[in-house]
Amino acid sequence: WEYIGRVKAAVSIPVFGNGNVFDGDDCLRMLQTTGCDGVSLGRIAIAKPWLFSLWTNGVDHGRDVFRKVAMRLCTLLQQHFAPKAALRRFRRYGPYLAANFTFGNSLHNALRNAADFAAIETILTRFFQRDPQELNRPNMNFLQ
């Protein structure tokens, strides 16, 4: 963030900050410490796409939001892509979902090895029935 502040001080055009913004407090801290004009979200926007409505309108989507988003993504991918392409795209999302939970590596491995969407939906249903422990901040190291 130090470099973002330096760039902002050196130029007269709008500067957007990016990097290590995982919650609303991070977003405000970046704006305050760097003086940047806005904040771009990257990985967290994939891991928690509902943050936009939460941060801008205060919409609380509830604890079930992870399951709902993952299941909806399954439905949409199957509607708009050929089966292999849809499965490939969901597998790219899997690590972002798994990064939100303690022991998310087991969820990620199960999703990565699922043969089809029927298996993915079964894995997701079983995973969320156990009421998994959500991390305060996603384990972004998991995504590297």
Side-chain angles (χ1 to χ4, degrees):
W1 292 4
E2 178 185 341
Y3 291 108
I4 297 167
R6 287 183 186 178
V7 170
K8 177 61 183 167
V11 301
S12 60
I13 60 172
V15 173
F16 277 63
N18 186 343
N20 296 322
V21 175
F22 300 111
D23 58 31
D25 291 336
D26 290 343
C27 187
L28 288 174
R29 196 167 50 257
M30 176 181 274
L31 290 167
Q32 292 167 348
T33 61
T34 67
C36 66
D37 300 286
V39 177
S40 292
L41 300 180
R43 296 170 292 177
I44 196 65
I46 298 170
K48 296 181 176 183
W50 55 89
L51 286 181
F52 296 98
S53 63
L54 176 64
W55 292 355
T56 59
N57 297 318
V59 176
D60 182 2
H61 295 277
R63 280 204 31 84
D64 201 30
V65 68
F66 288 101
R67 185 192 61 77
K68 288 178 182 176
V69 167
M71 293 299 224
R72 179 76 174 134
L73 182 59
C74 286
T75 299
L76 291 171
L77 288 172
Q78 291 176 87
Q79 287 175 354
H80 296 284
F81 294 94
K84 283 186 180 182
L87 197 53
R88 223 177 13 256
R89 285 176 181 264
F90 189 87
R91 284 185 178 138
R92 281 188 248 160
Y93 167 72
Y96 291 93
L97 173 64
N100 288 291
F101 299 100
T102 303
F103 304 113
N105 57 327
S106 61
L107 173 61
H108 171 61
N109 288 335
L111 293 172
R112 187 180 57 191
N113 293 317
D116 54 28
F117 277 100
I120 287 174
E121 290 171 6
T122 299
I123 291 164
L124 291 172
T125 298
R126 287 181 183 155
F127 180 78
F128 288 109
Q129 281 175 343
R130 290 181 285 204
D131 194 28
Q133 182 180 352
E134 181 183 345
L135 297 170
N136 289 334
R137 298 171 72 82
N139 180 0
M140 294 316 231
N141 293 325
F142 187 78
L143 304 175
Q144 296 177 2

